[in-house]
């Protein structure tokens, strides 16, 4: 991937993602559809609804990505969480497809303490088979939790092996979050190679610096160059992944533009 071909955008407010993209001079944005901590179904806040947003994005040449609610946990053995999570995942998949999104990003979830991780892996397989994947579903690595499905490489491999056995697996991709990898204890200099060895693909990068130290388990993002991640390593992982980039860093358009410039300057200098 040439540096000039790198698409770098940001997570933005959902009311008018196209205006947010224009304000950041980017062609790629990510946003929620509804509330990230609620089991209520998705809501398209854009004036005119889903059809209008899809048309506006196509006209503006803006690629849309949707982040599923954080509370989705299809791995758990708790029926009162797993079953509503599956329903919510399908609802967001349907809504994301309706607006023409390029992908729906979802966290790996977790099992309860003492539960065999293999049960969580198989619950992921069942969830993929139970979901009508109208657009790519992008599994994202996460930062914390000893029982997480997508924090450590061995757990990611377990989930991926289970998903690979599911009907519909070809519609599942991977989103690599740099802050989550760092805080989760994945060494960044080999992260891309090791993820590709497991998944064969990286479809999206969440580029975020980390407010906390390596293997801290803390999911706290900060702006590029302002955190604990080695700057050269941060740039290298973005380059090596070769995928569109979304920054989920603090601030609005001005701060995001500064983050874009920080990254692009270093990509072009090496």
């Amino acid at each position: 991937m040439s540096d000039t071909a790198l698409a770098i955008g940001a997570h933005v407010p959902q009311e008018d993602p196209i205006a947010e993209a224009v304000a950041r001079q980017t062609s790629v944005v990510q946003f929620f559809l509804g509330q990230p901590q609620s089991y209520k179904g998705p809501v398209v806040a854009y004036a005119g609804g889903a059809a209008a947003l899809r048309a506006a994005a196509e006209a503006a040449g803006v690629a849309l990505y949707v982040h599923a609610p954080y509370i989705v946990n299809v791995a758990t053995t708790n029926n009162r969480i797993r079953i509503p999570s599956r329903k919510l995942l399908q609802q967001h998949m349907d809504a994301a497809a309706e607006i023409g999104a390029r992908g729906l990003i979802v966290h790996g979830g977790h099992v309860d303490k003492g539960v065999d991780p293999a049960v969580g892996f198989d619950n992921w397989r069942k969830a993929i088979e139970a979901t009508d994947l109208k657009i790519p579903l992008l599994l994202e690595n996460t930062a914390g939790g000893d029982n997480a499905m997508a924090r450590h490489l061995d757990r990611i491999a377990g989930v991926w092996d289970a998903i690979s056995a599911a009907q519909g697996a070809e519609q599942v991709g991977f989103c690599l979050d740099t802050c989550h990898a760092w805080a989760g204890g994945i060494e960044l200099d080999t992260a891309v190679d090791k993820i590709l060895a497991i998944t064969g693909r990286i479809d999206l990068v969440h580029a975020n610096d980390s407010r906390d130290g390596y293997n801290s388990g803390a999911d706290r993002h900060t702006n590029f160059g302002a955190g604990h991640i080695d700057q050269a390593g941060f740039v290298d992982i973005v380059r090596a992944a070769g995928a569109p980039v979304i920054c989920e860093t603090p601030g609005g358009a001005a701060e995001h533009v500064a983050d874009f410039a920080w990254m692009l300057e270093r990509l072009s200098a090496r």
Side-chain angles (χ1 to χ4, degrees), residues 46-247:
Y46 187 78
L53 177 53
R54 181 173 191 147
E58 290 175 354
V62 175
L64 308 178
Y65 287 87
V66 174
H67 201 302
Y70 297 134
I71 59 171
V72 168
N73 182 7
V74 301
T76 181
T77 55
N78 185 332
N79 290 342
R80 288 182 290 181
I81 296 175
R82 187 182 69 260
I83 293 171
S85 290
R86 284 193 192 178
K87 178 181 178 181
L88 192 62
L89 185 64
Q90 184 67 70
Q91 290 174 333
H92 279 263
M93 172 61 65
D94 294 344
E98 193 174 3
I99 67 170
R102 303 289 180 88
L104 175 67
I105 298 94
V106 63
H107 288 177
H110 60 274
V111 293
D112 290 338
K113 184 178 180 180
V115 173
D116 186 345
V119 178
F121 302 156
D122 197 51
N123 280 342
W124 257 106
R125 178 191 61 79
K126 292 174 181 176
I128 296 302
E129 292 186 340
T131 306
D132 180 9
L133 300 180
K134 299 175 179 177
I135 62 172
L137 179 69
L138 307 183
L139 173 67
E140 179 182 354
N141 62 300
T142 51
D146 293 336
N147 305 301
M149 291 287 96
R151 173 179 179 176
H152 299 298
L153 290 168
D154 61 335
R155 296 286 179 86
I156 294 171
V159 172
W160 201 263
D161 285 348
I163 287 173
S164 297
Q167 184 175 358
E170 68 280 356
Q171 276 286 75
V172 182
F174 195 82
C175 174
L176 174 59
D177 188 300
T178 59
C179 172
H180 295 177
W182 168 264
I186 297 175
E187 295 179 357
L188 294 192
D189 59 343
T190 57
V192 169
D193 287 343
K194 289 183 176 179
I195 290 294
L196 288 175
I198 294 168
T199 67
R201 59 194 289 176
I202 295 174
D203 300 82
L204 188 69
V205 173
H206 281 172
N208 303 297
D209 208 335
S210 174
R211 290 174 57 186
D212 298 276
Y214 179 75
N215 203 26
S216 63
D219 181 7
R220 299 198 300 171
H221 302 180
T222 193
N223 298 94
F224 298 178
H228 286 268
I229 297 178
D230 172 74
Q231 294 187 11
F234 187 24
V235 174
D236 286 345
I237 195 172
V238 170
R239 178 187 286 107
V245 175
I246 294 290
C247 68

Side-chain angles (χ1 to χ4, degrees), residues 257-270:
V257 168
D259 281 336
F260 302 167
W262 186 97
M263 181 62 67
L264 292 169
E265 178 185 1
R266 285 159 179 80
L267 283 169
S268 62
R270 298 187 66 184

